[in-house]
Amino acid sequence: MMKRAVKSVGNGETELEVPLDTVCFIIMKAREFDAKDPVTEPNPASNPSDDRSAAILEDHADDPVLEELQSLISELSFDAQIDLVALMWLGRDDHSADEWRSVRQQAVHAHNAHVADYLCGTPLLADHLADGLSALGYSCAELERQHL
């Protein structure tokens, strides 16, 4: 069972609706996806053993990491998706931690069916989410150590 991340921000009435371990998993997957190289051979005629599986390091449109990331975000609750967008905005230095309620409210108004595409299409998503968590006093360091 995942623990819910609870952190008072600003006036002490706001809590994150997305579990910390979920955000950390999204950060790890986004870093995995961001590490991919541009596609050098869009239609390779060889098989993976011939090219030493180099294609898995390239950013193909049907990338399983991207598909997993988009699926995970799409399956989150409305409130969890709102928190992810707000955390990303906070991490971009668009706002400060004391503005959390306002940032979250802006994310509510901006919410639509394309949240996963929006987040996955944001350059440096992992960094922005990690910085947003940090601004609120959270860290993925412990979870990352467990997975290394």
Side-chain angles (χ1 to χ4, degrees), residues 26-90:
I26 289 170
I27 289 170
M28 287 187 282
K29 282 297 173 183
R31 283 191 178 130
E32 191 177 322
F33 178 71
D34 287 344
K36 302 263 180 163
D37 290 330
V39 176
T40 55
E41 181 63 43
N43 298 312
S46 65
N47 66 40
S49 63
D50 289 342
D51 65 8
R52 295 173 306 212
S53 298
I56 63 170
L57 301 174
E58 295 180 342
D59 184 13
H60 291 274
D62 61 346
D63 187 297
V65 175
L66 177 60
E67 290 174 5
E68 180 181 14
L69 192 56
Q70 288 176 321
S71 176
L72 174 63
I73 294 169
S74 294
E75 291 173 8
L76 291 173
S77 71
F78 172 84
D79 286 326
Q81 289 179 4
I82 295 303
D83 278 1
L84 282 177
V85 171
L87 281 168
M88 193 264 300
W89 288 347
L90 188 64

Side-chain angles (χ1 to χ4, degrees), residues 70-133:
Q70 288 176 321
S71 176
L72 174 63
I73 294 169
S74 294
E75 291 173 8
L76 291 173
S77 71
F78 172 84
D79 286 326
Q81 289 179 4
I82 295 303
D83 278 1
L84 282 177
V85 171
L87 281 168
M88 193 264 300
W89 288 347
L90 188 64
R92 282 191 321 203
D93 288 331
D94 290 347
H95 304 277
S96 69
D98 339 347
E99 298 174 293
W100 175 251
R101 291 180 71 123
S102 171
V103 173
R104 195 172 188 289
Q105 193 58 40
Q106 290 172 30
V108 167
H109 292 301
H111 187 272
N112 61 42
H114 306 286
V115 170
D117 292 333
Y118 169 66
L119 289 171
C120 292
T122 300
L124 303 174
L125 173 64
D127 293 339
H128 294 320
L129 288 174
D131 290 346
L133 284 175

